[in-house]
Structures are given as C-alpha cells and as structure tokens.
Amino acid sequence: LPGEREIRETMTILGRDTKSWSRGPVELLPLFSRLSAAEQDRVFKPSGNSRRIIMATNVAETSLTVPGIRYVVDTGYARVKRYSYRNKVEQLRTEPVSQSAARQRAGRCGRVQAGVCIRLYAEQDFESRPLHTDPEVLRSSLAGVILRMKSLGLGEVEAFAFVDAPAPKAVSDGYALLSELGAVEEDSRQLTELGRQLARLPLDPRIGRMILAARSEGALAEVLVIASALALQDPRERPMERAQTADAAHKLFADERSDFLSYLKLWRFFEQALAHNSQRKLQRLCRDHFLSFNRMREWRDIHAQLKEMVQELGWPVPPDDATADLQTRTVPIHRALMTGLLGNIGLKSEEGHYLGARGIRFWIHPGSGMQKKAGRWIMAAELVETTRLYARCVASIEPQWLESLGSHLLRRSQAEPHWEKQRAQVVALERATLYGLPVYTGRRVHYGPMDPATSREIFIRQALVAGEWESRAPFFSHNHRLVREIEHLEHKSRRPDVLVDEELIFAFYDHRLPPDLHN
C-alpha cells in the first residue's frame, strides 16, 4: 500500500474480520517510518504460531529482512517525494514504481527459503515502466547544490558533467530560491557576501538563512534549537491505538501562537528532565509523554553540531534561558525564521483556506496546534502535497515584517497620481505584492522620484495653473492676483475671452521651470 494513511485505514477494516478467518489466528502488523522503535521491533520478533500479515510502505524496499516472509503482494505503487519547480512545494504523490523497485519488493520474500511475489498489475504494465527510479538530484531543489558549487569554484552548474543532468527549469528554480534568500545577485548570479556566509553552513539554505538572520535579530539561541528540530523527524510519537492519549500528552508543549515555539517548549522540557533524571527515568519519561528518546538525543546532537559551527564563525551563542518568557521573544524569533520562509507565506481567504505564493492554495495540516487559531497571515516550515496541499509547522505573522524582510522581493505599483495640497507634492496610491499576495494597498507615496515627467506636469497643472499651491512666493502671488483681476474684468465687460487659455498658462510655466522640478 502506498502510504501510512492507507495502512491505518486498511488495518482498521481488516482488524474486524481477522477472527473469522479459517486458518487460525492472524496477526496484523504495520511498518512505516513514523512508527515508534517498539512498534517496529514487533515486526522482527514473531510471536507464537499465528500467521503474520505485515502492511508496509515503500520503506520495505531496502535491504530490510523480516523473518518468515514467504509471500509479497506488490500493488505497484508508492508515494514518491518530488519537488515541484512550478509551485515550489514538496509533493508526496502516488506513482507507479519502476522495474528496479518492483524487483526490490519481490526480494522481500524468500530471504531464508523459497517465496512467491504476487504483482497486482499486468506483465505488460511492468515491462512498460522505466528501468530505474529517478535519482534524487532530479527530484529535489538544487539551491543547496548550486550554492555549494559556487562556493567551491566548480564553475556554472549548467555546464557541470552530471551523471543525470537536471532540467534547465530545475537550475533556474535553484537560482530563484537563492535570490529570494539574498545569497546570489539576481542579474549576475554571483554569490553575495551573505551567500558566502551561507555556504559555510552545511545546511539546507533556508535553515542556514534563518540562523544568519537570528544573529542580527538577537535570537540565535532559540533559532538554533528550532533549526536543528526542522532538520530531523518530529520526535513526537502518535501510536494508532493510543492516538487520543498521545494528543493529550503533547498538549503540554503546544503553543497557541506558533508551532515553532512548541519545539522550544519541548526542548526546555527535555533539558530540565535531563538534568534531574537518570537515563532509565528519562526513557520512561519520554514513553509517558509519547516522545522518541532516540530522536530527542539526535536533536541534541544536531543542535550541538550547529552551535559548534556558528562558534567557529566567531558568533557568541548565549545560553537558552529556560525561565525566559517566550511572549517577549516571539517577534525576533519569527522574524529570523521568516527570512528563510518568504516563499511559504499565506493569506487567509474568505473560504477558509490560505492563498500562497504564486497563486497556490493550501490548508493547515490537521496535526498542527494552529489549525483553529491561526491568524490572517501565516508562514509554514514546509508545504507538502498529499491528498491536499498542507502547511506543516505554521505560525502567525505580521504583514509589516514582510515589508522589511522581503523588500527585495516586493513588486510595487502606483496608481492615481495627483497633487496633494497639504504635502505640497504629487502623491500616488501604492500597492505592494509579494509573490502575488497584497502586503499593503492604498499607501500614499511621493510620486516625484518614481515618474518625474508625469509629476512635473501634474504639479504645473494642479499646483500652479489651478492655484492649489499654498505659497508666499512673490511670482505666484502676483500671477494669482493678476488672474483674479482679469476674471473680474471679464465679469464687468461680459467678455469671457480676456484671460488666456489654461494651456497657454501651462506652456508659460513649462517653458520656465527646470526639467527636474516637480514639487
């Protein structure tokens, strides 16, 4: 079966009928990566003489050997992780497996004795499939590869002799992401100073950008904890038979403002427990709170490595104060995280879903603590497409942060330029968008530097010709007084043709004013 969700649903259905099977008791066991270590061990330890049916994802395509397996039923499908260059999101779609993957699946039986593989698809279908699964370089973002190649002076990625050359669109997408992070110049595609610093961190460029920003935001200690958490699998476990109990235990670490802050709460909980408990008590504490002890240790190891790397760069890392109120640290932490997640922002629509960058639509993942309390603007650690496009690990943000942190990505447009008497300048209404999302609209901005020629014409027509300028300049007072006298004369003589046409007055000022004057 292709995925964890399908395994859970199918086991629920089959579990009702196992007692009625005629050939003795049957043991149903799941096998997928998010299972706890104890649940995975059950697969490798047969109990009694009961028949065992193991329902596995494509994690079983590796050199995994399960004792006593004589039959394999291959559906011919798997969930394959691919990066979408068009929507800039990760995809977990069900796809037909390649011939090599099918042979790997057949090898799961008959490891210790003769076995049988039953494929639920035609032989012609098998022979029409590609020989091998696409390599990871063709299914992933190339931003990290390009950054590393440029820092090592390996030349242009387009000319590099890859065994499996990526598509030009994949290369362009990698450059676009690095430009978003400020690591390369948009036109020349050369590394910036920030890009050279980013290349020294052997991390995903997005996570590395968060750490660089955390230094200037004064949130390096907290962001190092969150960055190391994003680099590994979630340590929180949710076994099928105790899902509600696990959810209740995990509420201890939930935060109504941000899923990122939940990681900090979990980290502080484990650090305090580590200081006051033995190894055995610590493992029991993790079991009681449905946490993977091995992943928590891995989290600490990754954090220690990241901390050592930034210290080698000469950055002092203050200790994380477990007694500090996260409420006062929310803004600098999330501003630092946003620098790496500018492409993962969303604006809530009237229908309830979120509008994302480049016209995509997504929903907050059901497992998020922010599903019901997220704000109008959010950012997500990742966008993954399964049955829907879901945002995982989200936090509410302020649109003002986008204006300052994403200024190099904003697309600004001005409309309705007009003379504003109080400000004594030509003003337009500005609209700024980030990847198509409106950051602000209707903002009054000085239009003169943006379009001097148009501003000069509006200034002459509305300020000088129409007299909408409040000034004590002698020439303006004289001309304004003269116009009033001529209009009075026209009224007395009943001749409307004494005062010259407004176009001639405009030409008069246009001839005398410098070309760069517009206010």
Side-chain angles (χ1 to χ4, degrees), residues 36 52 71 73 107 155 166 177 227 231 314 319 347 370 424 431 440 456 468 473 499 503:
S36 65
R52 295 195 304 156
Y71 300 90
V73 179
L177 177 55
L347 174 63
M370 298 286 294
R431 181 176 187 266
Y440 62 82
R456 183 177 182 275
E468 296 181 4
L499 183 64
E503 290 299 324

PDB file of all heavy atoms in Angstrom, residues 36 52 71 73 107 155 166 177 227 231 314 319 347 370 424 431 440 456 468 473 499 503:
ATOM      1  N   SER A  36       6.998   4.013  16.284  1.00  0.00           N
ATOM      2  CA  SER A  36       7.996   4.021  17.356  1.00  0.00           C
ATOM      3  C   SER A  36       8.906   2.806  17.220  1.00  0.00           C
ATOM      4  O   SER A  36       8.585   1.823  16.540  1.00  0.00           O
ATOM      5  CB  SER A  36       7.298   4.014  18.719  1.00  0.00           C
ATOM      6  OG  SER A  36       6.580   2.795  18.884  1.00  0.00           O
ATOM      7  N   ARG A  52       1.300 -14.049  10.128  1.00  0.00           N
ATOM      8  CA  ARG A  52       1.544 -12.608  10.220  1.00  0.00           C
ATOM      9  C   ARG A  52       1.363 -11.962   8.852  1.00  0.00           C
ATOM     10  O   ARG A  52       1.860 -12.461   7.843  1.00  0.00           O
ATOM     11  CB  ARG A  52       2.954 -12.331  10.734  1.00  0.00           C
ATOM     12  CG  ARG A  52       3.163 -12.799  12.166  1.00  0.00           C
ATOM     13  CD  ARG A  52       4.427 -12.192  12.737  1.00  0.00           C
ATOM     14  NE  ARG A  52       5.589 -12.494  11.915  1.00  0.00           N
ATOM     15  CZ  ARG A  52       6.705 -11.757  11.886  1.00  0.00           C
ATOM     16  NH1 ARG A  52       6.777 -10.673  12.615  1.00  0.00           N
ATOM     17  NH2 ARG A  52       7.725 -12.121  11.140  1.00  0.00           N
ATOM     18  N   TYR A  71       5.513 -14.636   1.206  1.00  0.00           N
ATOM     19  CA  TYR A  71       4.692 -14.066   0.141  1.00  0.00           C
ATOM     20  C   TYR A  71       4.761 -12.540   0.207  1.00  0.00           C
ATOM     21  O   TYR A  71       4.716 -11.943   1.291  1.00  0.00           O
ATOM     22  CB  TYR A  71       3.224 -14.506   0.268  1.00  0.00           C
ATOM     23  CG  TYR A  71       3.029 -16.000   0.193  1.00  0.00           C
ATOM     24  CD1 TYR A  71       3.058 -16.787   1.349  1.00  0.00           C
ATOM     25  CD2 TYR A  71       2.823 -16.623  -1.033  1.00  0.00           C
ATOM     26  CE1 TYR A  71       2.883 -18.155   1.288  1.00  0.00           C
ATOM     27  CE2 TYR A  71       2.639 -18.004  -1.102  1.00  0.00           C
ATOM     28  CZ  TYR A  71       2.675 -18.752   0.051  1.00  0.00           C
ATOM     29  OH  TYR A  71       2.501 -20.112  -0.015  1.00  0.00           O
ATOM     30  N   VAL A  73       2.844  -9.207  -1.672  1.00  0.00           N
ATOM     31  CA  VAL A  73       1.815  -8.683  -2.577  1.00  0.00           C
ATOM     32  C   VAL A  73       2.219  -7.258  -2.925  1.00  0.00           C
ATOM     33  O   VAL A  73       2.264  -6.382  -2.066  1.00  0.00           O
ATOM     34  CB  VAL A  73       0.425  -8.711  -1.926  1.00  0.00           C
ATOM     35  CG1 VAL A  73      -0.616  -8.144  -2.887  1.00  0.00           C
ATOM     36  CG2 VAL A  73       0.065 -10.132  -1.518  1.00  0.00           C
ATOM     37  N   GLY A 107      12.147  -9.108  -3.682  1.00  0.00           N
ATOM     38  CA  GLY A 107      13.223  -9.663  -2.876  1.00  0.00           C
ATOM     39  C   GLY A 107      12.944  -9.690  -1.391  1.00  0.00           C
ATOM     40  O   GLY A 107      13.737 -10.229  -0.621  1.00  0.00           O
ATOM     41  N   GLY A 155      32.551  26.168 -11.130  1.00  0.00           N
ATOM     42  CA  GLY A 155      32.007  26.639 -12.393  1.00  0.00           C
ATOM     43  C   GLY A 155      30.492  26.685 -12.383  1.00  0.00           C
ATOM     44  O   GLY A 155      29.835  26.475 -11.348  1.00  0.00           O
ATOM     45  N   PRO A 166      20.227  17.670 -14.487  1.00  0.00           N
ATOM     46  CA  PRO A 166      18.897  18.211 -14.171  1.00  0.00           C
ATOM     47  C   PRO A 166      18.379  19.089 -15.295  1.00  0.00           C
ATOM     48  O   PRO A 166      19.133  19.597 -16.123  1.00  0.00           O
ATOM     49  CB  PRO A 166      19.151  19.026 -12.896  1.00  0.00           C
ATOM     50  CG  PRO A 166      20.602  19.385 -12.961  1.00  0.00           C
ATOM     51  CD  PRO A 166      21.285  18.255 -13.660  1.00  0.00           C
ATOM     52  N   LEU A 177      15.492  30.545  -5.763  1.00  0.00           N
ATOM     53  CA  LEU A 177      15.446  30.400  -4.312  1.00  0.00           C
ATOM     54  C   LEU A 177      16.630  31.099  -3.656  1.00  0.00           C
ATOM     55  O   LEU A 177      16.482  31.779  -2.631  1.00  0.00           O
ATOM     56  CB  LEU A 177      15.415  28.921  -3.931  1.00  0.00           C
ATOM     57  CG  LEU A 177      15.438  28.609  -2.426  1.00  0.00           C
ATOM     58  CD1 LEU A 177      14.305  29.317  -1.702  1.00  0.00           C
ATOM     59  CD2 LEU A 177      15.374  27.110  -2.182  1.00  0.00           C
ATOM     60  N   ALA A 227      16.002  25.353  14.391  1.00  0.00           N
ATOM     61  CA  ALA A 227      16.630  24.906  13.144  1.00  0.00           C
ATOM     62  C   ALA A 227      17.056  23.449  13.225  1.00  0.00           C
ATOM     63  O   ALA A 227      16.877  22.682  12.269  1.00  0.00           O
ATOM     64  CB  ALA A 227      17.832  25.793  12.819  1.00  0.00           C
ATOM     65  N   ALA A 231      15.564  19.975  11.037  1.00  0.00           N
ATOM     66  CA  ALA A 231      16.473  19.149  10.251  1.00  0.00           C
ATOM     67  C   ALA A 231      16.288  17.659  10.517  1.00  0.00           C
ATOM     68  O   ALA A 231      16.991  16.845   9.914  1.00  0.00           O
ATOM     69  CB  ALA A 231      17.920  19.553  10.539  1.00  0.00           C
ATOM     70  N   GLY A 314      32.868  32.637  14.882  1.00  0.00           N
ATOM     71  CA  GLY A 314      33.119  33.771  15.771  1.00  0.00           C
ATOM     72  C   GLY A 314      31.870  34.393  16.342  1.00  0.00           C
ATOM     73  O   GLY A 314      31.907  35.528  16.830  1.00  0.00           O
ATOM     74  N   PRO A 319      23.397  31.259  26.247  1.00  0.00           N
ATOM     75  CA  PRO A 319      22.621  30.070  26.658  1.00  0.00           C
ATOM     76  C   PRO A 319      21.133  30.352  26.615  1.00  0.00           C
ATOM     77  O   PRO A 319      20.679  31.478  26.853  1.00  0.00           O
ATOM     78  CB  PRO A 319      23.105  29.825  28.098  1.00  0.00           C
ATOM     79  CG  PRO A 319      23.609  31.161  28.561  1.00  0.00           C
ATOM     80  CD  PRO A 319      24.172  31.840  27.351  1.00  0.00           C
ATOM     81  N   LEU A 347      -2.034  33.932   3.014  1.00  0.00           N
ATOM     82  CA  LEU A 347      -3.050  34.921   3.397  1.00  0.00           C
ATOM     83  C   LEU A 347      -4.397  34.218   3.406  1.00  0.00           C
ATOM     84  O   LEU A 347      -4.794  33.602   2.409  1.00  0.00           O
ATOM     85  CB  LEU A 347      -3.055  36.092   2.411  1.00  0.00           C
ATOM     86  CG  LEU A 347      -4.153  37.147   2.587  1.00  0.00           C
ATOM     87  CD1 LEU A 347      -4.019  37.842   3.935  1.00  0.00           C
ATOM     88  CD2 LEU A 347      -4.095  38.156   1.447  1.00  0.00           C
ATOM     89  N   MET A 370      -2.096  25.004  15.419  1.00  0.00           N
ATOM     90  CA  MET A 370      -2.582  26.302  14.947  1.00  0.00           C
ATOM     91  C   MET A 370      -3.772  26.172  14.008  1.00  0.00           C
ATOM     92  O   MET A 370      -4.202  27.168  13.429  1.00  0.00           O
ATOM     93  CB  MET A 370      -1.455  27.034  14.211  1.00  0.00           C
ATOM     94  CG  MET A 370      -0.246  27.343  15.052  1.00  0.00           C
ATOM     95  SD  MET A 370      -0.566  28.678  16.197  1.00  0.00           S
ATOM     96  CE  MET A 370      -0.795  30.035  15.054  1.00  0.00           C
ATOM     97  N   ALA A 424       2.163  69.315  -0.416  1.00  0.00           N
ATOM     98  CA  ALA A 424       2.833  70.111  -1.449  1.00  0.00           C
ATOM     99  C   ALA A 424       3.698  69.238  -2.352  1.00  0.00           C
ATOM    100  O   ALA A 424       4.848  69.577  -2.681  1.00  0.00           O
ATOM    101  CB  ALA A 424       3.676  71.219  -0.820  1.00  0.00           C
ATOM    102  N   ARG A 431       0.612  50.081  -4.207  1.00  0.00           N
ATOM    103  CA  ARG A 431       0.233  48.711  -3.844  1.00  0.00           C
ATOM    104  C   ARG A 431       1.474  47.837  -3.970  1.00  0.00           C
ATOM    105  O   ARG A 431       2.173  47.883  -4.983  1.00  0.00           O
ATOM    106  CB  ARG A 431      -0.870  48.199  -4.765  1.00  0.00           C
ATOM    107  CG  ARG A 431      -1.367  46.788  -4.468  1.00  0.00           C
ATOM    108  CD  ARG A 431      -2.530  46.447  -5.397  1.00  0.00           C
ATOM    109  NE  ARG A 431      -3.163  45.194  -5.063  1.00  0.00           N
ATOM    110  CZ  ARG A 431      -2.841  44.021  -5.627  1.00  0.00           C
ATOM    111  NH1 ARG A 431      -1.892  43.981  -6.563  1.00  0.00           N
ATOM    112  NH2 ARG A 431      -3.467  42.919  -5.284  1.00  0.00           N
ATOM    113  N   TYR A 440       0.381  45.470   1.193  1.00  0.00           N
ATOM    114  CA  TYR A 440      -0.366  46.666   1.569  1.00  0.00           C
ATOM    115  C   TYR A 440      -0.942  47.287   0.304  1.00  0.00           C
ATOM    116  O   TYR A 440      -0.436  47.088  -0.799  1.00  0.00           O
ATOM    117  CB  TYR A 440       0.494  47.678   2.338  1.00  0.00           C
ATOM    118  CG  TYR A 440       1.675  48.225   1.568  1.00  0.00           C
ATOM    119  CD1 TYR A 440       1.525  49.283   0.661  1.00  0.00           C
ATOM    120  CD2 TYR A 440       2.955  47.717   1.770  1.00  0.00           C
ATOM    121  CE1 TYR A 440       2.609  49.787  -0.037  1.00  0.00           C
ATOM    122  CE2 TYR A 440       4.036  48.219   1.085  1.00  0.00           C
ATOM    123  CZ  TYR A 440       3.862  49.266   0.187  1.00  0.00           C
ATOM    124  OH  TYR A 440       4.934  49.766  -0.510  1.00  0.00           O
ATOM    125  N   ARG A 456       5.911  66.341 -12.850  1.00  0.00           N
ATOM    126  CA  ARG A 456       6.116  67.754 -13.205  1.00  0.00           C
ATOM    127  C   ARG A 456       4.887  68.325 -13.904  1.00  0.00           C
ATOM    128  O   ARG A 456       4.449  69.451 -13.627  1.00  0.00           O
ATOM    129  CB  ARG A 456       7.346  67.869 -14.108  1.00  0.00           C
ATOM    130  CG  ARG A 456       7.721  69.289 -14.505  1.00  0.00           C
ATOM    131  CD  ARG A 456       8.997  69.254 -15.330  1.00  0.00           C
ATOM    132  NE  ARG A 456       9.428  70.600 -15.687  1.00  0.00           N
ATOM    133  CZ  ARG A 456       8.991  71.279 -16.735  1.00  0.00           C
ATOM    134  NH1 ARG A 456       8.095  70.705 -17.542  1.00  0.00           N
ATOM    135  NH2 ARG A 456       9.423  72.497 -16.990  1.00  0.00           N
ATOM    136  N   GLU A 468      -3.557  75.512  -6.690  1.00  0.00           N
ATOM    137  CA  GLU A 468      -3.749  74.704  -5.488  1.00  0.00           C
ATOM    138  C   GLU A 468      -2.474  74.598  -4.651  1.00  0.00           C
ATOM    139  O   GLU A 468      -2.253  73.616  -3.951  1.00  0.00           O
ATOM    140  CB  GLU A 468      -4.240  73.301  -5.881  1.00  0.00           C
ATOM    141  CG  GLU A 468      -5.612  73.308  -6.545  1.00  0.00           C
ATOM    142  CD  GLU A 468      -6.070  71.909  -6.897  1.00  0.00           C
ATOM    143  OE1 GLU A 468      -5.347  70.950  -6.548  1.00  0.00           O
ATOM    144  OE2 GLU A 468      -7.144  71.774  -7.518  1.00  0.00           O
ATOM    145  N   ALA A 473       5.414  82.874  -2.362  1.00  0.00           N
ATOM    146  CA  ALA A 473       6.392  83.282  -3.380  1.00  0.00           C
ATOM    147  C   ALA A 473       5.868  84.493  -4.141  1.00  0.00           C
ATOM    148  O   ALA A 473       4.704  84.508  -4.560  1.00  0.00           O
ATOM    149  CB  ALA A 473       6.661  82.126  -4.340  1.00  0.00           C
ATOM    150  N   LEU A 499      -8.944  86.431 -20.429  1.00  0.00           N
ATOM    151  CA  LEU A 499      -7.925  85.556 -19.827  1.00  0.00           C
ATOM    152  C   LEU A 499      -7.503  84.486 -20.829  1.00  0.00           C
ATOM    153  O   LEU A 499      -8.346  83.867 -21.480  1.00  0.00           O
ATOM    154  CB  LEU A 499      -8.485  84.888 -18.560  1.00  0.00           C
ATOM    155  CG  LEU A 499      -7.516  84.007 -17.774  1.00  0.00           C
ATOM    156  CD1 LEU A 499      -6.364  84.847 -17.228  1.00  0.00           C
ATOM    157  CD2 LEU A 499      -8.243  83.296 -16.641  1.00  0.00           C
ATOM    158  N   GLU A 503      -4.014  76.147 -21.298  1.00  0.00           N
ATOM    159  CA  GLU A 503      -2.887  75.515 -21.969  1.00  0.00           C
ATOM    160  C   GLU A 503      -1.756  76.512 -22.207  1.00  0.00           C
ATOM    161  O   GLU A 503      -0.581  76.152 -22.147  1.00  0.00           O
ATOM    162  CB  GLU A 503      -3.344  74.898 -23.292  1.00  0.00           C
ATOM    163  CG  GLU A 503      -4.239  73.677 -23.141  1.00  0.00           C
ATOM    164  CD  GLU A 503      -3.540  72.542 -22.416  1.00  0.00           C
ATOM    165  OE1 GLU A 503      -2.310  72.375 -22.629  1.00  0.00           O
ATOM    166  OE2 GLU A 503      -4.198  71.837 -21.629  1.00  0.00           O
TER     167      GLU A 503
END
